Amino acid sequence: DIQMTQSPASLSASLEEIVTITCQASQDIGNWLAWYQQKPGKSPQLLIYGATSLADGVPSRFSGSRSGTQYSLKISRLQVEDPGIYYCLQGYSAPWTFGGGTKLELK
Amino acid sequence: EVQLVESGGGLVQPGRSLKLSCAASGFTFSNYYMAWVRQAPKKGLEWVATISTSGSRTYYPDSVKGRFTISRDNAKSSLYLQMNSLKSEDTATYYCARHRVLQSPYFDYWGQGVMVTVSS
């Protein structure tokens, strides 16, 4: 199974700050990676697919990138509605696996 | 608007069975793979099952293989998850999700989730 190691597990940032979350894949998964945001009591919402493609309706301050087997989600200017838990998902092969999550809070 | 509405959750004893349902609307259900993803309380996300458009192909992780069965009724735009031999570790919120499998697979729409509690 492909392991997705997500970091940090939690972080606290200020409004307008740049935030970066990373996922390390245990093997090459190409661009087959997605990012999700989950708010308390809600279902996950798709942010990024194909490592870099922005999902419909997602603000442009969210972006995804890849360097080898490391993937990053960047929030360019943190907004009040952005706190939540962020997950990565590898879509390269079954079993499709998620990262452990990053809890983002406002400082 | 894509809508996925799960039902059928509840409290069940270990070793017993439960069947979840998901009613889909707002898209051509028969054109899409569908999936179930679960989340144990205060834990992360775990993919549970995927079914092809016709239902001829199904996929499971080892944690549920042989105990869970995913199925669909395209005429009713409905997805199901039959869960047998339930264990305490199956306690979770179960989400129905549309599974995009071409190019870079991902789950693009999710239901609100249904809680399953396995306890005596």
Side-chain angles (χ1 to χ4, degrees):
Chain A
D1 298 1
I2 298 173
Q3 308 300 317
M4 303 302 296
T5 304
Q6 200 170 329
S7 62
S10 64
L11 78 154
S12 180
S14 303
L15 283 176
E16 303 290 324
E17 190 174 334
I18 297 173
V19 171
T20 301
I21 298 167
T22 64
C23 258
Q24 179 70 47
S26 60
Q27 66 180 72
D28 181 18
I29 60 169
N31 285 334
W32 298 35
L33 184 108
W35 288 98
Y36 296 86
Q37 176 197 62
Q38 187 178 32
K39 296 186 179 181
K42 300 293 186 181
S43 56
Q45 299 293 308
L46 178 68
L47 299 174
I48 301 285
Y49 63 94
T52 60
S53 297
L54 198 65
D56 290 345
V58 176
S60 58
R61 64 179 179 276
F62 291 92
S63 63
S65 63
R66 170 196 173 191
S67 176
T69 56
Q70 182 165 289
Y71 301 80
S72 297
L73 174 70
K74 177 182 172 182
I75 309 174
S76 60
R77 295 170 60 183
L78 190 66
Q79 300 297 299
V80 67
E81 61 268 29
D82 295 338
I85 302 178
Y86 290 80
Y87 295 95
C88 63
L89 164 72
Q90 67 82 14
Y92 184 77
S93 66
W96 295 286
T97 46
F98 293 87
T102 294
K103 185 174 184 179
L104 172 60
E105 296 178 321
L106 266 180
K107 195 180 290 183
Chain B
E1 178 194 5
V2 172
Q3 283 200 315
L4 299 169
V5 180
E6 303 95 336
S7 61
L11 174 64
V12 61
Q13 293 179 328
R16 304 298 291 265
S17 301
L18 197 66
K19 186 173 185 177
L20 306 181
S21 300
C22 171
S25 61
F27 65 103
T28 304
F29 182 75
S30 58
N31 287 352
Y32 291 87
Y33 278 50
M34 296 296 296
W36 290 96
V37 179
R38 70 182 179 184
Q39 186 171 36
K42 306 290 188 185
K43 298 295 185 182
L45 300 165
E46 179 187 19
W47 164 72
V48 170
T50 288
I51 189 167
S52 63
T53 52
S54 66
S56 61
R57 285 167 290 180
T58 57
Y59 309 82
Y60 307 93
D62 288 345
S63 58
V64 307
K65 194 176 294 182
R67 298 189 300 122
F68 290 12
T69 302
I70 188 172
S71 62
R72 65 191 297 160
D73 183 336
N74 286 342
K76 295 182 177 180
S77 294
S78 293
L79 179 72
Y80 307 100
L81 185 68
Q82 176 68 46
M83 303 183 292
N84 298 332
S85 303
L86 281 162
K87 308 175 182 180
S88 58
E89 52 262 43
D90 296 319
T91 293
T93 296
Y94 285 73
Y95 295 101
C96 167
R98 195 170 77 171
H99 197 168
R100 304 297 295 272
V101 296
L102 294 179
Q103 298 180 322
S104 179
Y106 55 92
F107 310 104
D108 60 352
Y109 288 94
W110 302 58
Q112 85 286 352
V114 63
M115 185 69 200
V116 172
T117 302
V118 184
S119 175
S120 54

